[in-house]
Amino acid sequence: MALFVIGDIHGQYDRLIALLRSPALVNSRLAWTGRDATLWFMGDYVDRGLDGIDVIDLVMRLQREAKETKGFVGALLGNHDPLLLSAYHFPDEVISGPHGTFKHDWEVNGGNEADLERLTEAHVAWLSALPAMVHVGGHLFMHADTTVYARHGDSIEAVNDHFTTLLHGRDISAWDRLLEEFSEHDAFVGKPEVAGAMLIKFGGMQIVHGHTPISKMTGQADESVTEALIYADGLCINVDGGLYRGGRGFVVEL
């Protein structure tokens, strides 16, 4: 069975459709045509683009349709997803950062008011239950190139339980701390030993992540990024094509 991965979408619905149609994972009606293939989304469905809720609706529907053909569509939690949830649950609560409140922090980081207005309880439940980390085909999938996960558990199961409990709770300080920590980047650049330690702790032969646009790592123009970046002595694969920055994006087949 083929295994496909797509990085951060950030509300770029039309570009997402084009990317999914290229390897024939969906047809012209946007129905799942990937048969028994596996497709993983790496998180950050919303913010910095106009159509975050449309992106979420499409991913949720493809998850249901893929099951009918013995395929699988998985979705990870990105850092912008709890950022939207924080603006939904307690917009006016004061945070420790420079932006005053959860909602203002979300707005400064690319929040789209239309996404907040269209967010339903079904969307909230789906986002709140997304895993933070998973093992897939010998790889360790996690949204962000950060060691924040290791601060919240000693196993994938423990980390996911921690995130799920937090997102279903209303501990303001815990939400505030998570959003600050989850915004960290570049933990593995030039530090293969850090990536190796994460793999020893959580398992897997290679980390697959998004979160940091490849162009930010390499300095190349966003539109010239057409494939994943393998780095840290081959221990990491970055799949963030920088869609919100004008990148063309890509789907990776592992």
Side-chain angles (χ1 to χ4, degrees):
M1 294 184 294
L3 170 58
F4 297 95
V5 181
I6 187 166
D8 307 35
I9 306 302
H10 282 302
Q12 306 294 323
Y13 180 70
D14 290 338
R15 291 184 181 181
L16 171 60
I17 291 172
L19 292 176
L20 293 176
R21 292 192 65 184
S22 178
L25 294 171
V26 301
N27 61 20
S28 60
R29 300 187 306 277
L30 306 185
W32 174 258
T33 52
R35 298 183 180 274
D36 62 350
T38 293
L39 169 66
W40 271 94
F41 290 87
M42 300 301 291
D44 277 5
Y45 310 95
V46 298
D47 299 346
R48 296 177 172 164
L50 297 178
D51 303 303
I53 299 302
D54 288 336
V55 170
I56 291 174
D57 283 337
L58 176 60
V59 176
M60 291 174 67
R61 178 170 58 77
L62 292 179
Q63 285 186 317
R64 297 191 297 269
E65 293 181 0
K67 289 181 180 179
E68 298 176 2
T69 60
K70 301 189 185 308
F72 181 83
V73 173
L76 286 181
L77 179 76
N79 64 302
H80 280 263
D81 309 318
L83 190 62
L84 171 62
L85 291 175
S86 73
Y88 174 83
H89 287 308
F90 19 77
D92 300 321
E93 292 285 349
V94 176
I95 60 174
S96 61
H99 302 135
T101 65
F102 280 105
K103 185 177 181 184
H104 190 211
D105 188 46
W106 166 72
E107 291 170 340
V108 168
N109 283 283
N112 174 18
E113 191 67 33
D115 284 347
L116 192 57
E117 292 173 357
R118 295 178 59 197
L119 193 67
T120 68
E121 286 298 322
H123 297 135
V124 170
W126 185 78
L127 289 169
S128 300
L130 294 179
M133 310 174 78
V134 294
H135 278 148
V136 183
H139 298 86
L140 176 63
F141 281 21
M142 55 195 211
H143 168 73
D145 47 333
T146 174
T147 59
V148 64
Y149 304 96
R151 302 172 210 167
H152 298 294
D154 292 325
S155 68
I156 287 179
E157 293 75 15
V159 171
N160 287 338
D161 285 347
H162 175 86
F163 274 75
T164 300
T165 299
L166 189 155
L167 294 179
H168 284 84
R170 297 298 177 264
D171 184 336
I172 302 298
S173 62
W175 278 77
D176 189 8
R177 185 167 56 254
L178 173 67
L179 293 176
E180 179 181 0
E181 291 179 339
F182 215 178
S183 65
E184 297 173 6
H185 294 259
D186 297 329
F188 313 125
V189 175
K191 300 176 181 177
E193 71 279 3
V194 177
M198 287 289 286
L199 291 167
I200 290 171
K201 189 179 188 70
F202 295 110
M205 300 298 293
Q206 199 172 43
I207 294 170
V208 179
H209 70 82
H211 188 55
T212 302
I214 291 170
S215 59
K216 283 191 173 184
M217 284 190 175
T218 63
Q220 66 192 107
D222 292 289
E223 60 272 17
S224 70
V225 176
T226 58
E227 60 184 11
L229 175 68
I230 301 175
Y231 70 104
D233 291 350
L235 296 179
C236 296
I237 304 178
N238 185 348
V239 297
D240 185 351
L243 286 178
Y244 80 91
R245 294 163 57 93
R248 289 182 287 176
F250 50 81
V251 178
V252 181
E253 183 173 2
L254 295 178

